[in-house]
Amino acid sequence: MSKSGALDLASGLGGKIDKEGVKSAVDEYEKYHGYYGGKEEARKSNYTDMVNKYYDLATSFYEYGWGESFHFAHRWNGESLRESIKRHEHFLALQLGLKPGMKVLDVGCGIGGPLREIARFSSTSVTGLNNNEYQITRGKELNRLAGISGTCDFVKADFMKMPFDDNTFDAVYAIEATCHAPDPVGCYKEIYRVLKPGQCFAVYEWCITDHYDPNNATHKRIKDEIELGNGLPDIRSTRQCLQAVKDAGFEVVWDKDLAEDSPLPWYLPLDPSRFSLSSFRLTSVGRMITRTMVKALEYVGLAPQGSERVSNFLEKAAEGLVEGGKKEIFTPMYFFLAQKPVSE
């Protein structure tokens, strides 16, 4: 089960970083980002270090607030956040046509929440690819507790350089993960390489929309906040992602920003104007309590120095995500289904 208590949050802060090194890791992480004067080129050239620091610092907060699946979802009226997240994962499995016995790759799998849900839903064998050691350690433990260690596993590797043979997998998916790639074409080409001919890749991408204006100072600030709070080298447009997957060799079956027709806004769990008991820790009140708790735990020495600053930049991300969603300049669920041609 997911770690859910205050002491679990405190003990997990920093991931595999030595507790004495958390504060310096926060310093280094923040300096990568435009919000603190950092440059996109530095984020892209050092993306492995930046993203690993981010997930070492942030994973325990994610698990404390979100559970095992760290992503947003298209959501119906009357549907809980947890129900919508599961349906969002099942939707991918159905789009990919997953069948029992298929070998599937989850690119950027986090601690494996979607991996476990999709594996159980479709009776497939899912491999989770992740370059963060702390998340893989958590994922393996959660797989063991779920009883699926025999059919699902994790591989520590960079998704720009996958350690798999050509034509290995029957299906590949990514959920809000390939947005961390410094080069989308390079990332999609690796996915293309390891996917069997005739099979499909499905993805939810974080993107800026056509409503984004790079010359608008408010839009730029929102983009900087989202990049800072989510470990992103850049946020690409939907058009850039669609062209990138074509340039990688795929044929696009269909694509759509699923946020456009979601009955409930995807950012609702974070919106300060709304309140929910079922997802209380994600609400503005819940996040305020978490920040206060982290500050106290840091003060008494139960959480490492720098923990409050992690909480603060995650809060900045939440603010940017809500504002970006309301202005319709950002989406976390640009979806496309793409097929590798049978013959190249």
Side-chain angles (χ1 to χ4, degrees), residues 133-172:
E133 185 179 348
Y134 176 70
Q135 287 197 334
I136 286 180
T137 299
R138 284 293 298 138
K140 286 182 176 180
E141 173 62 12
L142 291 167
N143 274 11
R144 184 188 66 78
L145 293 172
I148 61 169
S149 295
T151 57
C152 297
D153 62 356
F154 294 88
V155 172
K156 185 182 184 305
D158 184 344
F159 52 33
M160 302 297 292
K161 296 172 286 189
M162 297 187 195
F164 306 117
D165 292 335
D166 295 356
N167 309 322
T168 295
F169 295 97
D170 299 300
V172 180

Side-chain angles (χ1 to χ4, degrees), residues 113-314:
L115 177 157
R116 286 180 288 278
E117 185 64 33
I118 288 173
R120 290 179 294 210
F121 178 73
S122 60
S123 298
T124 52
S125 172
V126 185
T127 297
L129 182 72
N130 192 325
N131 207 21
N132 183 268
E133 185 179 348
Y134 176 70
Q135 287 197 334
I136 286 180
T137 299
R138 284 293 298 138
K140 286 182 176 180
E141 173 62 12
L142 291 167
N143 274 11
R144 184 188 66 78
L145 293 172
I148 61 169
S149 295
T151 57
C152 297
D153 62 356
F154 294 88
V155 172
K156 185 182 184 305
D158 184 344
F159 52 33
M160 302 297 292
K161 296 172 286 189
M162 297 187 195
F164 306 117
D165 292 335
D166 295 356
N167 309 322
T168 295
F169 295 97
D170 299 300
V172 180
Y173 67 85
I175 301 177
E176 302 181 19
T178 47
C179 51
H180 293 294
D183 168 28
V185 176
C187 180
Y188 295 156
K189 279 185 174 179
E190 272 296 271
I191 291 169
Y192 183 97
R193 181 183 66 79
V194 302
L195 183 63
K196 293 178 181 178
Q199 302 303 103
C200 288
F201 165 49
V203 63
Y204 295 126
E205 280 286 7
W206 280 34
C207 292
I208 52 175
T209 71
D210 289 343
H211 296 290
Y212 177 80
D213 178 2
N215 298 312
N216 183 306
T218 298
H219 289 192
K220 181 66 170 62
R221 172 185 55 78
I222 291 169
K223 181 173 179 284
D224 285 346
E225 288 176 350
I226 296 172
E227 289 169 353
L228 166 68
N230 295 279
L232 304 179
D234 186 24
I235 306 177
R236 293 173 279 271
S237 71
T238 54
R239 295 173 187 268
Q240 286 173 316
C241 284
L242 188 62
Q243 187 59 52
V245 78
K246 292 176 180 177
D247 290 345
F250 283 100
E251 297 173 351
V252 176
V253 179
W254 72 282
D255 71 290
K256 182 177 176 61
D257 178 4
L258 299 183
E260 291 178 350
D261 62 0
S262 181
L264 293 178
W266 60 266
Y267 54 81
L268 193 66
L270 304 176
D271 190 340
S273 67
R274 301 296 292 266
F275 182 80
S276 170
L277 285 175
S278 63
S279 55
F280 175 73
R281 289 177 178 175
L282 296 177
T283 65
S284 59
V285 176
R287 298 197 308 271
M288 179 187 68
I289 291 172
T290 299
R291 291 197 305 277
T292 303
M293 177 184 67
V294 168
K295 183 176 183 179
L297 289 169
E298 183 175 331
Y299 180 77
V300 299
L302 291 176
Q305 293 294 309
S307 298
E308 184 184 4
R309 286 169 60 193
V310 178
S311 180
N312 288 340
F313 71 61
L314 291 174

Side-chain angles (χ1 to χ4, degrees), residues 91-107:
F91 178 82
L92 276 185
L94 293 170
Q95 289 298 312
L96 287 167
L98 299 188
K99 295 179 177 60
M102 289 178 73
K103 189 174 181 180
V104 182
L105 178 65
D106 180 333
V107 177

